Amino acid sequence: MGLFDRISRVVKASINALVSEAEDPERVLEQAIAEMQDELIQLRQAVAQAIATQKRTERQCNQAKATADEWYRRAELALQAGDEALARDALTRRKSYQETAQLMQSQIDRQTTIVEKLKRDMVTLESKIADARTRKDLYIARARSAQASQRLHAMLDQMNPQGAMQSFARMEQKVAELEARSAAIAELGQDDLERRFATLEQGSEIEADLATLKRRLASQQEPGEPRHES
């Protein structure tokens, strides 16, 4: 084996080793979809939690506004009763609840933005998962086809075309020898058969010649002489 042949075999062996150690495309795709599905579950949980937090903040904000209104009503009641100091204290308490309601409203606005973004992200991820599921079978079919082609090329690479041709040449020569031997046997058999028929035909001719000779000799005998029957 030449140097280049040895190098080629080493390279092919290395490639086959890398291919055998490579990740299975089908398993990778299934794992990718499973991970995307897990992310979707976590995203849905985050959306649900954000919505629940927003609803709770809205209730607290509405409660703060209602309490502020209640202190304003008390301030009016105190002022009607002529107690200006009590009315002032009620308005101070009302202002505190109003500020709390304003802070909560700002928080609600931020939470609304977050929830809307999470919802958009969730819709996008759901679309990607649906698209991945649709194309997964196609990718798996392509991967299996590529693997089959790779195995076929590996088998062809391991074959020795020169050795195969030499084997065919030897078989062709052997078949030719068998055909020649069969023809020779058939020819010998035919000659023997013809020889037997020739002998048979020759014997028949001799018997006919003998019968003719007997008749001629019998006709040449003189009258009155005894005839010898043969």
Side-chain angles (χ1 to χ4, degrees):
M1 181 185 298
L3 175 61
F4 290 101
D5 290 336
R6 289 197 298 270
I7 294 175
S8 177
R9 288 185 178 274
V10 171
V11 171
K12 290 174 182 177
S14 299
I15 293 175
N16 291 335
L18 290 175
V19 170
S20 63
E21 295 174 0
E23 292 179 311
D24 181 12
E26 184 172 351
R27 183 179 61 83
V28 171
L29 290 174
E30 293 288 356
Q31 182 65 27
I33 292 180
E35 291 177 357
M36 293 173 68
Q37 190 66 39
D38 291 339
E39 291 178 0
L40 179 60
I41 293 175
Q42 295 176 5
L43 187 56
R44 285 174 175 171
Q45 292 175 349
V47 171
Q49 185 177 357
I51 292 176
T53 301
Q54 181 183 8
K55 295 295 184 183
R56 183 171 61 253
T57 305
E58 288 177 350
R59 288 195 298 269
Q60 293 174 349
C61 180
N62 292 331
Q63 182 63 37
K65 290 179 179 179
T67 304
D69 292 340
E70 176 63 19
W71 280 109
Y72 186 78
R73 187 189 65 80
R74 291 178 178 179
E76 289 180 341
L77 184 62
L79 191 58
Q80 290 174 356
D83 192 342
E84 186 174 339
L86 184 59
R88 185 178 292 107
D89 290 339
L91 291 175
T92 301
R93 185 67 61 87
R94 171 178 177 264
K95 183 174 179 58
S96 175
Y97 280 102
Q98 283 181 328
E99 291 174 352
T100 299
Q102 289 177 355
L103 291 175
M104 288 184 175
Q105 186 61 49
S106 298
Q107 184 177 355
I108 291 171
D109 294 339
R110 290 193 298 271
Q111 289 175 342
T112 300
T113 302
I114 293 174
V115 168
E116 293 300 324
K117 184 179 183 304
L118 289 174
K119 287 181 178 180
R120 289 194 299 270
D121 292 342
M122 185 175 63
V123 171
T124 300
L125 184 56
E126 288 174 344
S127 177
K128 288 183 178 180
I129 292 176
D131 182 64
R133 291 185 183 279
T134 301
R135 292 187 293 175
K136 181 191 67 174
D137 293 338
L138 176 61
Y139 289 157
I140 290 176
R142 289 172 58 184
R144 289 177 179 175
S145 177
Q147 290 172 345
S149 177
Q150 177 182 317
R151 288 194 296 269
L152 177 60
H153 285 297
M155 292 174 59
L156 293 176
D157 289 340
Q158 293 175 358
M159 292 178 61
N160 185 358
Q162 184 176 1
M165 295 304 297
Q166 291 176 354
S167 298
F168 274 103
R170 289 198 304 271
M171 291 302 102
E172 183 179 3
Q173 182 178 359
K174 187 173 292 293
V175 170
E177 292 175 356
L178 291 175
E179 290 176 345
R181 186 179 302 175
S182 177
I185 293 174
E187 184 177 354
L188 291 175
Q190 183 66 24
D191 290 344
D192 181 68
L193 185 62
E194 290 180 356
R195 186 166 53 251
R196 292 171 61 189
F197 273 102
T199 302
L200 181 61
E201 292 173 355
Q202 184 178 5
S204 298
E205 291 178 358
I206 292 174
E207 293 297 329
D209 291 342
L210 180 61
T212 302
L213 180 59
K214 286 181 179 181
R215 286 194 299 271
R216 189 174 67 248
L217 292 175
S219 63
Q220 291 177 356
Q221 290 180 356
E222 294 180 359
E225 291 182 0
R227 295 183 179 180
H228 301 282
E229 298 292 337
S230 55

